Amino acid sequence: MHEANSSSLTPKFFILNGIPGLEGEHIWISLSFCFMYIIAVIGNCGLIYIISHEEVLHRPMYYFLALLSLTDVSGCTSFVPNMLCIFWLSLKEIDFNACLVQMFFIHMLTGMESGVLMLMALDRYVAICYPLRYSTILTNTVITKLGLATFFRSALLMMPFTFLIKRLPYCRGNLLHHTYCDHMSVAKLSCGNIKINAIYGLIAAGLIGGFDMLCITVSYTMIIRAVLTLSSEDARQKAFGTCTAHICAIVITYVPAFFNFFTHRFGGQTIPHHVHIFIANLYLLLPPTLNPLVYGVKTKQIREIVTRLLFKEKDIFHMR
């Protein structure tokens, strides 16, 4: 084991050990994660570009989608390049302060994504329940304020993690069995009392994930009640159709998140450690990879614009 600096109980660096127990599959795992990361970057940056350049998409729903894409691409970029360096170049050392920075951004952007999904549920609620007032309720100023409020909520709630980690003494070495700096994984290397870390982790999860899920549930309950009062079957299908992509995004984000949360805390010895780490990586990488594909397929206007751009590029290529 790599021991901490004997002159200090704070190590100068941690050693990220990848996914112990799956060393033989590291190359295939890294190639799969790299492929997912490329799709996530291209897909999310493509969505941001299309939304910013196509005037027909300058609407609240697409502004929130652009914010989700920006959050997703930032989130996976905060750990995937470093993870690939671990697998491909054996660059496993990470400075203690750099570890704290990575931990903050991973948790902050995860909380941000949850908040944006909640705002998108609010958008669908206003669009379906108050269609005539949609543009007057969700103005550009309101959207900006909601986005900033979501960002600051996540940043302020996740910032204490860095101080809670920095205060701990580390006398159990600096070998971290993970691919990135996760709050509780780092805390478990300490020989100090980490009860406050665990308690605050649950509080932060409740204030962000729990609150957002409650708001999403209430929004969709009101949406379902409003849709069922519509007399036309076509109108009901059209109203539900506008929510399909968002519901898929919720499932893609929250199912791996809750699975990771509960297995990490209550899985105990029944679930192998390498499974925990693998799920923790998928939980961060799966939503950024699939969300652009879901919205590209399920959203008619985005699908038509992408098709038009692809055929336009194809025509230009043939003309050359």
Side-chain angles (χ1 to χ4, degrees):
M1 179 182 288
H2 299 266
E3 296 295 337
N5 191 325
S6 59
S7 63
S8 173
L9 290 177
T10 300
K12 292 182 178 179
F13 57 86
F14 289 113
I15 305 294
L16 292 168
N17 203 30
I19 307 180
L22 294 178
E23 287 83 1
E25 288 74 33
H26 272 186
I27 183 63
W28 302 110
I29 293 173
S30 64
L31 288 174
S32 300
F33 285 166
C34 181
F35 180 67
M36 293 173 69
Y37 177 63
I38 291 171
I39 293 176
V41 171
I42 293 174
N44 286 289
C45 289
L47 274 180
I48 294 171
Y49 175 82
I50 290 172
I51 292 169
S52 63
H53 283 76
E54 295 290 335
E55 192 171 346
V56 70
L57 299 182
H58 291 178
R59 295 168 53 195
M61 170 184 173
Y62 299 108
Y63 289 148
F64 287 131
L65 177 57
L67 182 58
L68 180 67
S69 293
L70 180 61
T71 303
D72 278 343
V73 75
S74 301
C76 59
T77 300
S78 66
F79 83 98
V80 173
N82 186 67
M83 177 184 65
L84 295 179
C85 287
I86 295 171
F87 288 140
W88 292 347
L89 304 175
S90 294
L91 299 177
K92 299 183 177 182
E93 291 186 7
I94 182 169
D95 181 78
F96 180 80
N97 290 321
C99 182
L100 294 183
V101 171
Q102 184 190 57
M103 180 186 69
F104 168 74
F105 276 105
I106 287 175
H107 290 300
M108 186 272 288
L109 291 166
T110 302
M112 181 75 179
E113 179 168 29
S114 176
V116 175
L117 287 173
M118 183 263 291
L119 294 180
M120 296 174 82
L122 174 65
D123 167 79
R124 291 299 83 205
Y125 164 72
V126 176
I128 292 172
C129 297
Y130 302 98
L132 299 179
R133 298 172 56 196
Y134 179 60
S135 58
T136 58
I137 294 175
L138 292 178
T139 62
N140 289 344
T141 302
V142 171
I143 292 169
T144 302
K145 289 180 179 179
L146 289 173
L148 288 174
T150 303
F151 169 76
F152 284 116
R153 180 195 67 162
S154 183
L156 291 174
L157 283 174
M158 296 305 170
M159 196 173 291
F161 282 144
T162 58
F163 299 106
L164 290 173
I165 288 295
K166 202 161 187 175
R167 73 181 177 87
L168 293 172
Y170 294 89
C171 49
R172 293 179 180 172
N174 59 354
L175 184 60
L176 186 60
H177 297 295
H178 216 303
T179 56
Y180 60 84
C181 292
D182 173 72
H183 170 237
M184 286 308 299
S185 297
V186 175
K188 288 177 180 178
L189 288 179
S190 171
C191 52
N193 187 350
I194 64 171
K195 184 178 292 186
I196 188 172
N197 294 69
I199 292 173
Y200 186 77
L202 290 172
I203 292 173
L207 291 175
I208 293 181
F211 176 79
D212 292 344
M213 278 300 299
L214 176 63
C215 292
I216 290 171
T217 302
V218 171
S219 296
Y220 272 100
T221 300
M222 301 298 289
I223 287 171
I224 292 171
R225 288 178 58 185
V227 170
L228 292 179
T229 60
L230 298 174
S231 57
S232 169
E233 181 66 25
D234 290 338
R236 286 197 294 268
Q237 290 182 357
K238 184 178 179 181
F240 279 128
T242 63
C243 301
T244 304
H246 181 242
I247 293 172
C248 291
I250 291 171
V251 173
I252 291 168
T253 301
Y254 281 106
V255 170
F258 281 123
F259 191 75
N260 177 66
F261 180 83
F262 287 113
T263 56
H264 187 72
R265 285 163 176 78
F266 307 112
Q269 301 299 320
T270 60
I271 299 177
H273 188 60
H274 63 264
V275 175
H276 284 292
I277 301 174
F278 188 79
I279 292 171
N281 282 275
L282 280 182
Y283 141 68
L284 293 179
L285 196 50
L286 204 60
T289 304
L290 295 183
N291 283 341
L293 300 177
V294 167
Y295 276 94
V297 171
K298 294 291 186 180
T299 308
K300 183 180 178 182
Q301 286 181 305
I302 293 178
R303 187 171 65 246
E304 290 176 347
I305 291 171
V306 171
T307 303
R308 173 166 54 82
L309 291 174
L310 289 176
F311 277 106
K312 183 180 178 180
E313 291 295 329
K314 185 178 179 180
D315 292 340
I316 292 174
F317 177 78
H318 283 302
M319 287 175 64
R320 291 179 179 176

